């Protein structure tokens, strides 16, 4: 976003939910189609687990970005309406972990309401 000059637009952070939704959907669908898993909980954990990996990579990326590339990014977060003042990197990491886990559970649960009756296509040899 910084390359395009949109790093101050906090509303664009809501796009994260769409990315999580797409990723969880893709993980569940692939687990059903390629692994022929029809179990509700197996598919739920596949979607949830893939999004947790994404959250961990995002947090590592944020820590590298703030630590080595642009330490003033914390100030940008403080000036947005979504975060508070006097932020530390630890507070931001904790908040991202909680927010990401909550959105992962929500997306996995919502998508599993659709996929709970979905059956993998039959393989005809």
């Amino acid at each position: 976003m910084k390359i395009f000059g949109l790093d101050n637009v906090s509303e664009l952070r809501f796009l994260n939910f769409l990315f999580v939704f797409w990723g969880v959907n893709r993980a569940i669908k692939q687990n059903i189609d390629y692994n022929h898993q029809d179990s509700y909980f197996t598919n739920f954990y596949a979607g949830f687990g893939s999004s947790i990996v994404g959250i961990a990579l995002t947090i590592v990326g944020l820590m590298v970005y703030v630590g080595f590339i642009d330490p003033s990014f914390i100030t940008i977060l403080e000036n947005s309406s979504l975060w508070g003042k006097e932020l530390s990197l630890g507070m931001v990491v904790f908040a991202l972990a909680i927010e990401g886990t909550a959105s992962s559970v929500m997306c996995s649960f919502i998508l599993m309401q659709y996929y709970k009756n979905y059956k993998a296509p039959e393989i005809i040899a």
Side-chain angles (χ1 to χ4, degrees):
M1 291 293 120
K2 188 171 188 160
I3 293 172
F4 299 114
L6 299 172
D7 56 340
N8 290 323
V9 182
S10 61
E11 289 80 14
L12 289 176
R13 292 187 185 104
F14 289 114
L15 286 175
N16 180 49
F17 186 77
L18 295 177
F19 290 127
V20 171
F21 197 82
W22 178 81
V24 169
N25 182 49
R26 183 102 168 128
I28 293 171
K29 181 108 171 83
Q30 283 188 344
N31 196 43
I32 291 172
D33 290 343
Y34 296 125
N35 298 329
H36 303 288
Q37 289 289 334
D38 291 334
S39 169
Y40 181 91
F41 289 110
T42 302
N43 291 323
F44 178 83
Y45 290 131
F48 179 70
S50 65
S51 58
I52 291 297
V53 170
I55 292 166
L57 292 174
T58 299
I59 288 172
V60 169
L62 175 71
M63 290 170 35
V64 169
Y65 184 76
V66 169
F68 299 108
I69 298 172
D70 187 12
S72 66
F73 185 68
I74 297 291
T75 307
I76 293 171
L77 292 175
E78 287 177 349
N79 293 332
S80 72
S81 61
L82 299 176
W83 300 86
K85 300 293 180 195
E86 300 177 20
L87 292 176
S88 68
L89 183 58
M91 291 170 60
V92 173
V93 166
F94 179 75
L96 282 176
I98 296 299
E99 174 203 354
T101 302
S103 66
S104 298
V105 169
M106 286 188 325
C107 287
S108 297
F109 181 73
I110 289 168
L111 285 166
M112 282 311 299
Q113 298 314 301
Y114 171 75
Y115 284 116
K116 69 181 175 184
N117 296 323
Y118 183 85
K119 299 295 179 198
E122 295 292 322
I123 297 176
I124 300 173

